Amino acid sequence: MLYHGSYIKELPYIATNAKSHFTGKQVAYFTSDRVYALVCCRLPEENFVTMGIREDGKQHYFERFPNQLITLYKGKKGFLYILDSNEGLVNTKNRTWESNVNVYVDRYEIVDDVYEEIKKEEEKGNIVIHKYEEIDPDEQKIHANHIRDTIDDNKIMKPFYLKHFSSLWDE
């Protein structure tokens, strides 16, 4: 089973509107990791994913500003588009699949509160959440200052960065 997470409801297919990390061409992305699909249920202007698979094989989510998980997902509806087969898709890396053509979905799951669903996945042991307060302050400062130094590289995300990170920056 493969998933594609989105904030957009009732998509009949997943369009090739993402850029492949491997070929640079336009593709439709999917994952066999439901947790990763959940964190993709966000607005383009909140495209801030701080999660990855670690040595234990689990997704680890790192908050880079206070209450990040709640801010991005609490009370927000998401849609998990599901494929029952990976036929016609290319497995590009571990749990990631892509297609260079639009892919019609088999069905979808409505997630009424993405935050609550992520917390359920945490209870099942499918994700480890590292709260902002638990992470080394020096590490957090490095991340915040990197955003400060590259803020003009992404005009869509600039208001998000200013809102959530400007108070964390060094002078």
Side-chain angles (χ1 to χ4, degrees):
M1 190 174 335
L2 297 177
Y3 302 93
H4 177 92
S6 180
Y7 67 97
I8 303 171
K9 67 179 180 175
E10 299 176 8
L11 293 173
Y13 61 87
I14 304 305
T16 58
N17 59 8
K19 189 174 180 179
S20 172
H21 298 295
F22 295 93
T23 66
K25 296 179 181 178
Q26 293 299 111
V27 297
Y29 267 116
F30 296 89
T31 180
S32 58
D33 188 330
R34 185 173 183 275
V35 176
Y36 190 81
L38 283 168
V39 302
C40 290
C41 296
R42 65 189 180 288
L43 299 170
E45 58 271 17
E46 294 179 341
N47 188 13
F48 190 69
V49 178
T50 54
M51 185 170 86
I53 299 172
R54 295 296 184 255
E55 299 80 31
D56 61 4
K58 295 181 183 181
Q59 291 283 5
H60 284 248
Y61 187 98
F62 295 85
E63 287 192 326
R64 296 299 178 196
F65 62 86
N67 297 311
Q68 176 180 319
L69 199 64
I70 289 171
T71 299
L72 292 178
Y73 300 107
K74 182 83 173 150
K76 296 185 181 174
K77 186 174 275 197
F79 300 86
L80 295 181
Y81 293 93
I82 301 168
L83 301 179
D84 293 322
S85 167
N86 59 12
E87 187 176 333
L89 298 166
V90 176
N91 182 221
T92 53
K93 184 179 180 189
N94 299 325
R95 303 173 189 182
T96 304
W97 299 75
E98 61 183 45
S99 172
N100 60 0
V101 297
N102 297 342
V103 178
Y104 284 86
V105 298
D106 293 316
R107 62 189 187 289
Y108 63 92
E109 174 187 347
I110 300 170
V111 179
D112 289 321
D113 188 320
V114 178
Y115 173 79
E116 294 300 330
E117 200 66 26
I118 291 170
K119 294 299 283 180
K120 287 178 189 174
E121 292 291 341
E122 180 185 32
E123 290 171 15
K124 293 177 190 174
N126 295 329
I127 182 173
V128 178
I129 299 171
H130 302 271
K131 303 295 284 175
Y132 180 82
E133 302 79 22
E134 299 167 355
I135 299 172
D136 182 324
D138 291 335
E139 180 183 337
Q140 295 294 41
K141 188 62 73 176
I142 289 168
H143 285 278
N145 287 338
H146 173 75
I147 288 170
R148 177 200 63 205
D149 296 343
T150 60
I151 195 166
D152 290 324
D153 293 351
N154 188 334
K155 302 295 185 207
I156 292 172
M157 290 293 294
K158 188 172 181 175
F160 175 88
Y161 292 147
L162 287 170
K163 180 177 180 179
H164 298 291
F165 287 94
S166 61
S167 66
L168 307 174
W169 296 336
D170 286 335
E171 296 298 323

